[in-house]
Amino acid sequence: MQVYLPIAELSVNLFFLVGIGGAVGFLSGLFGVGGGFLLTPLLIFSGVPTSVAVASVTGQVVAASTSGALSHYRRGGIDLHLALYLVLSGILGAFGGVAAFSLLRQAGQLDLVIALGFLILLGFVGLLMLQEAVRAILKQRQGIVVRERMPHQHSWIHGLPWRVRFKKSRLYISVLPVLAIGLFIGFVGSLLGVGGGFIMVPALVYLLRVPGNVVIGTSLAQVVAMMAATTILHAVQSQSVDILLAFCLMVGGTAGAQFGAAAGKHLRGEQLRGLLALLVLAVAIRFGLSLVLTPSDVFSMAVMGAAR
């Protein structure tokens, strides 16, 4: 069953779109991530224009993250004070990311920058995750008990000026790294079409020492607000959001996430992190190959404007 995507200007099988959404939703539920860093590349590899894939996935990320954020909020798992700083800086970063998106699109360099961005970002994060997961698995097999640093054990980052007390997280730290993290996630998320949770959560845990009972909910709250603003900005400024595409992805993702969450209960944390790292690296390698291999269609034609 073919459906026509008006903004993408191509016809795609409906079950294929729902299937992609379901597969990414399954992986999201399995690994506990938003899935935007997987969904955007899959759409690009499937032939959807890069600009439409990036802009449309933002809406799907909002829908997928909202239910999780509400669930954490009802359980008291969100530091609203910390989330406020992350949201404000994240939205500011989103303005910069969408502006850069539009400029790169006009210059005809968007596809190249997106591919390089995914290659560098996913390659770096994937290697770090894989190293940490392998180390944890080896230590577990050797019977070594690893003592994690406690949330109140601060580093030099916490001693920077403009310190603020976050009572929910039991932290008294500088607000500068908090704003920097939110600004970076907002810029990268709006430019690449990713929620940034796979970067936000490690940053909050390892850099700011945010306790585990509030880190996931706080990250989701920032992702929802930041990606909602990004969706609106893309719809108004770049006009690349395909509502039909986003809706099909939402339907599949909602169903797939339930099965993924159930399957994730049967795997240990270090195993999940290792599998996720391999998946992230696979996507990075695919983008790397697209930069060095000769495309099947070397030349392309596009209408740039009407003659006057």
Side-chain angles (χ1 to χ4, degrees), residues 197-280:
F198 67 104
I199 306 174
M200 174 70 75
V201 172
L204 294 180
V205 172
Y206 295 112
L207 294 181
L208 303 184
R209 305 298 176 190
V210 177
N213 62 323
V214 297
V215 66
I216 300 296
T218 303
S219 173
L220 285 173
Q222 193 269 354
V223 168
V224 171
M226 184 266 294
M227 294 307 282
T230 300
T231 303
I232 296 173
L233 290 172
H234 273 303
V236 173
Q237 187 166 340
S238 66
Q239 299 179 352
S240 300
V241 179
D242 195 308
I243 301 299
L244 182 58
L245 172 60
F247 178 76
C248 293
L249 297 173
M250 291 177 193
V251 172
T254 303
Q258 304 301 318
F259 294 100
K265 298 178 181 179
H266 302 287
L267 295 175
R268 294 194 300 270
E270 61 273 8
Q271 293 176 331
L272 287 174
R273 293 194 298 271
L275 291 174
L276 179 59
L278 293 175
L279 187 61
V280 169

Side-chain angles (χ1 to χ4, degrees), residues 13-286:
N13 188 282
L14 175 62
F15 299 107
F16 173 74
L17 289 180
V18 176
I20 287 182
V24 173
F26 177 84
L27 295 174
S28 299
L30 181 65
F31 297 122
V33 295
F37 72 99
L38 296 174
L39 192 53
T40 300
L42 283 176
L43 291 176
I44 295 175
F45 299 153
S46 302
V48 177
T50 301
S51 58
V52 178
V54 171
S56 300
V57 165
T58 58
Q60 194 272 348
V61 172
V62 173
S65 303
T66 299
S67 61
L70 290 175
S71 177
H72 282 278
Y73 176 75
R74 287 193 292 265
R75 296 198 302 265
I78 297 180
D79 187 331
L80 295 177
H81 191 194
L82 177 60
L84 177 62
Y85 284 95
L86 292 171
V87 167
L88 293 177
S89 58
I91 292 176
L92 183 61
F95 274 97
V98 173
F101 180 95
S102 299
L103 291 175
L104 290 170
R105 187 182 182 188
Q106 293 173 4
Q109 300 299 318
L110 181 63
D111 289 10
L112 174 61
V113 173
I114 294 296
L116 284 173
F118 272 109
L119 173 62
I120 296 172
L121 181 64
L122 297 185
F124 178 72
V125 174
L127 286 174
L128 290 180
M129 293 174 59
L130 183 61
Q131 180 183 14
E132 188 274 336
V134 171
R135 185 181 303 166
I137 292 174
L138 292 177
K139 288 183 177 181
Q140 183 185 30
R141 290 183 177 179
Q142 296 172 359
I144 301 176
V145 179
V146 181
R147 297 185 62 183
E148 299 182 356
R149 295 184 64 180
M150 300 301 292
H152 62 271
Q153 293 179 309
H154 295 172
S155 64
W156 66 269
I157 294 179
H158 301 74
L160 295 173
W162 296 358
R163 302 181 74 180
V164 176
R165 188 176 303 278
F166 300 102
K167 296 182 179 180
K168 188 75 172 182
S169 300
R170 303 189 304 277
L171 294 174
Y172 182 55
I173 59 175
S174 169
V175 75
L176 294 179
V178 177
L179 296 176
I181 291 173
L183 192 68
F184 176 76
I185 298 296
F187 182 85
V188 172
S190 58
L191 181 61
L192 301 183
V194 298
F198 67 104
I199 306 174
M200 174 70 75
V201 172
L204 294 180
V205 172
Y206 295 112
L207 294 181
L208 303 184
R209 305 298 176 190
V210 177
N213 62 323
V214 297
V215 66
I216 300 296
T218 303
S219 173
L220 285 173
Q222 193 269 354
V223 168
V224 171
M226 184 266 294
M227 294 307 282
T230 300
T231 303
I232 296 173
L233 290 172
H234 273 303
V236 173
Q237 187 166 340
S238 66
Q239 299 179 352
S240 300
V241 179
D242 195 308
I243 301 299
L244 182 58
L245 172 60
F247 178 76
C248 293
L249 297 173
M250 291 177 193
V251 172
T254 303
Q258 304 301 318
F259 294 100
K265 298 178 181 179
H266 302 287
L267 295 175
R268 294 194 300 270
E270 61 273 8
Q271 293 176 331
L272 287 174
R273 293 194 298 271
L275 291 174
L276 179 59
L278 293 175
L279 187 61
V280 169
L281 288 175
V283 176
I285 292 172
R286 175 62 177 83

